[in-house]
């Protein structure tokens, strides 16, 4: 074949900036480096390994539950932790922990993905459900309260459900798939709500050390876009449909704002996290003192935890009890909230709804 018959190389094709041998397949959103797939895998995995080691997230012999929803973040986390555990001899016993909120057409489908992950990664799976724990499904809650405040119920109930599931598994820590975008969103939400006291905790890579089961976030500095790219190129099995009840969630507005910032300046995500870490909090601004719920024994800064207050409202046909700042007037006087719910203060901050 003559030289003129050969197909010309595509214009603009670049070699990987790391190995300088293979054609670049993608541009990293975080660094703008144009690299090949294999170098992306190595860089992505090595960054997470360094985060785990530098922050001493795990100790040899620990039992670790991975919060598994079937979505991209938790699926990649399960895959990465199982791979790094073997590669670097972490010496961990890993488990998948899922929560069935009872959302027909969403959670039931995503749990099928988690069950496949259980077989694919060889990790034992534990599923806990709202129905078993609270006597309610999210479908039933939404039917009663509507779509406006349903995420409050789900966030509070899911946090406690994960802790209860982790206790059943007798694990030492719970690893969640919260990524850098999630944490930046939470920083903004806490600022917008004036909840400055929670900034340092929402930025911490490990929380709840003083509680029974600490939580850690190995993806604290990992961009959501890179998690999606990793899952796509690796061909991982994950569920990509958004929750049918969350389109109007307040967090969604913060998420869109973060995405707009990222398009202009990708570094903004990490800078927001850094700002949250470095905020100087006034000495007069303090987090509520933690105790235990008198009703269920869960951690709470009030007599009743937020989950028990919300559950009391549902069971008594008063679903808005405990949502925001509830004030009632009876013959020109404020109702005594204690008489309604038995809680010390229904107007207290939510128990762990936004701080991971």
């Amino acid at each position: 074949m003559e030289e003129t018959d050969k197909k010309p190389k595509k214009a603009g094709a670049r070699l990987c900036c790391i190995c300088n041998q293979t054609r670049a397949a993608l541009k990293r959103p975080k660094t703008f480096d144009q690299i090949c797939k294999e170098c992306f895998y190595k860089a992505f995995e090595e960054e997470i390994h360094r985060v785990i080691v530098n922050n001493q997230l795990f100790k040899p012999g620990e039992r670790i539950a991975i919060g598994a929803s079937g979505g991209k973040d938790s699926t990649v986390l399960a895959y990465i932790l199982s791979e790094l555990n073997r590669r670097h001899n972490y010496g961990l016993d890993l488990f998948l922990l899922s929560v069935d909120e009872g959302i027909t057409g969403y959670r039931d489908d995503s749990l099928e993905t988690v069950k496949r992950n259980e077989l694919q990664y060889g990790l034992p799976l534990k599923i806990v459900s709202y129905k078993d724990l609270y006597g309610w499904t999210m479908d039933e809650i939404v039917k009663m309260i509507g779509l406006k405040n349903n995420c409050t119920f789900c966030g509070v109930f899911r946090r406690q459900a994960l802790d209860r599931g982790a206790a059943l598994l007798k694990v030492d820590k719970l690893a969640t798939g919260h990524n850098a975008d999630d944490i930046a969103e939470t920083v903004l939400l806490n600022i917008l709500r004036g909840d400055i006291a929670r900034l340092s905790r929402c930025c911490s890579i490990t929380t709840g050390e003083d509680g029974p089961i600490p939580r850690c976030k190995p993806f604290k500095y990992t961009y959501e876009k890179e998690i999606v790219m990793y899952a796509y190129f690796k061909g991982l099995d994950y569920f990509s449909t958004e929750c049918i009840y969350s389109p109007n969630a307040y967090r969604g507005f913060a998420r869109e704002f973060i995405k707009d910032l990222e398009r202009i300046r990708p570094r903004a995500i990490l800078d927001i996290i850094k700002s949250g870490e470095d905020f100087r909090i006034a000495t007069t601004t303090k987090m509520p003192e933690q105790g235990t719920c008198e009703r269920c024994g869960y951690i709470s800064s009030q007599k009743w935890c937020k989950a028990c207050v919300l559950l009391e409202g549902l069971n008594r046909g008063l679903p808005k009890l405990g949502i925001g700042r509830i004030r009632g007037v009876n013959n020109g006087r404020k109702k005594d909230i204690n008489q309604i719910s038995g809680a010390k203060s229904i107007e207290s901050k939510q128990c762990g709804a936004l701080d991971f």
Side-chain angles (χ1 to χ4, degrees), residues 268-331:
I269 292 176
L270 294 180
D271 287 343
I272 291 173
I273 296 174
K274 185 68 164 56
S275 297
E277 292 173 334
D278 292 346
F279 255 94
R280 292 184 178 181
I281 312 299
T283 55
T284 55
T285 303
K286 296 181 180 179
M287 288 289 292
E289 293 184 7
Q290 297 289 0
T292 55
C293 174
E294 292 182 354
R295 188 177 189 184
C296 71
Y298 189 68
I299 187 170
S300 175
S301 58
Q302 303 295 330
K303 285 186 177 182
W304 282 19
C305 69
K306 189 67 174 181
C308 283
V309 173
L310 293 174
L311 191 58
E312 178 74 1
L314 289 172
N315 291 334
R316 301 185 67 166
L318 302 169
K320 292 187 178 181
L321 190 70
I323 297 293
R325 295 182 177 180
I326 304 299
R327 294 181 185 272
V329 177
N330 185 15
N331 296 327

Side-chain angles (χ1 to χ4, degrees), residues 85-118:
N85 190 36
R86 286 192 290 267
R87 185 182 307 166
H88 297 287
N89 298 316
Y90 290 164
L92 306 176
D93 289 327
L94 301 175
F95 302 85
L96 297 178
L97 173 60
S98 294
V99 176
D100 181 2
E101 299 95 339
I103 304 176
T104 305
Y106 169 67
R107 183 56 72 211
D108 47 358
D109 291 338
S110 68
L111 285 176
E112 292 303 315
T113 302
V114 178
K115 292 173 183 177
R116 292 195 297 272
N117 293 157
E118 175 187 17

Side-chain angles (χ1 to χ4, degrees), residues 50-63:
R50 288 201 303 268
V51 168
I52 291 173
V53 173
N54 293 343
N55 292 277
Q56 299 179 330
L57 296 188
F58 309 119
K59 297 178 182 178
E62 285 188 326
R63 293 166 61 89

Side-chain angles (χ1 to χ4, degrees), residues 96-317:
L96 297 178
L97 173 60
S98 294
V99 176
D100 181 2
E101 299 95 339
I103 304 176
T104 305
Y106 169 67
R107 183 56 72 211
D108 47 358
D109 291 338
S110 68
L111 285 176
E112 292 303 315
T113 302
V114 178
K115 292 173 183 177
R116 292 195 297 272
N117 293 157
E118 175 187 17
L119 300 177
Q120 292 161 351
Y121 308 147
L123 302 178
L125 169 64
K126 175 68 177 178
I127 301 175
V128 293
S129 72
Y130 282 9
K131 190 67 174 179
D132 291 340
L133 294 175
Y134 311 116
W136 291 79
T137 66
M138 277 307 300
D139 286 341
E140 294 168 342
I141 293 172
V142 170
K143 187 176 181 181
M144 175 178 281
I145 196 169
L147 292 172
K148 186 175 181 181
N149 295 302
N150 63 88
C151 288
T152 297
F153 284 85
C154 198
V156 173
F157 286 170
R158 183 170 57 247
R159 178 177 178 84
Q160 189 175 122
L162 281 171
D163 282 342
R164 291 188 179 188
L168 290 173
L169 287 171
K170 298 180 179 179
V171 297
D172 300 291
K173 287 190 182 77
L174 173 63
T176 63
H178 293 102
N179 56 52
D181 299 54
D182 296 326
I183 298 172
E185 290 165 15
T186 305
V187 171
L188 287 181
L189 284 169
N190 284 328
I191 292 174
L192 293 173
R193 297 190 324 156
D195 203 350
I196 305 301
R198 293 181 187 266
L199 281 179
S200 59
R201 189 163 75 180
C202 79
C203 291
S204 298
I205 196 167
T206 301
T207 57
E209 295 97 329
D210 53 344
I213 303 175
R215 295 187 178 204
C216 63
K217 302 183 282 281
F219 286 169
K220 177 181 176 180
Y221 303 107
T222 306
Y223 280 27
E224 182 180 48
K225 284 184 178 179
E226 298 206 344
I227 292 173
V228 173
M229 294 169 72
Y230 185 88
Y232 173 76
F233 286 120
K234 279 283 188 178
L236 301 185
D237 184 4
Y238 68 94
F239 185 77
S240 58
T241 302
E242 292 292 330
C243 177
I244 59 177
Y245 293 142
S246 66
N248 298 318
Y250 188 36
R251 178 174 286 271
F253 295 101
R255 181 175 297 117
E256 289 304 314
F257 180 60
I258 292 292
K259 291 184 183 300
D260 290 340
L261 289 177
E262 184 185 13
R263 280 191 285 269
I264 300 170
R265 183 170 174 271
R267 178 75 194 181
I269 292 176
L270 294 180
D271 287 343
I272 291 173
I273 296 174
K274 185 68 164 56
S275 297
E277 292 173 334
D278 292 346
F279 255 94
R280 292 184 178 181
I281 312 299
T283 55
T284 55
T285 303
K286 296 181 180 179
M287 288 289 292
E289 293 184 7
Q290 297 289 0
T292 55
C293 174
E294 292 182 354
R295 188 177 189 184
C296 71
Y298 189 68
I299 187 170
S300 175
S301 58
Q302 303 295 330
K303 285 186 177 182
W304 282 19
C305 69
K306 189 67 174 181
C308 283
V309 173
L310 293 174
L311 191 58
E312 178 74 1
L314 289 172
N315 291 334
R316 301 185 67 166

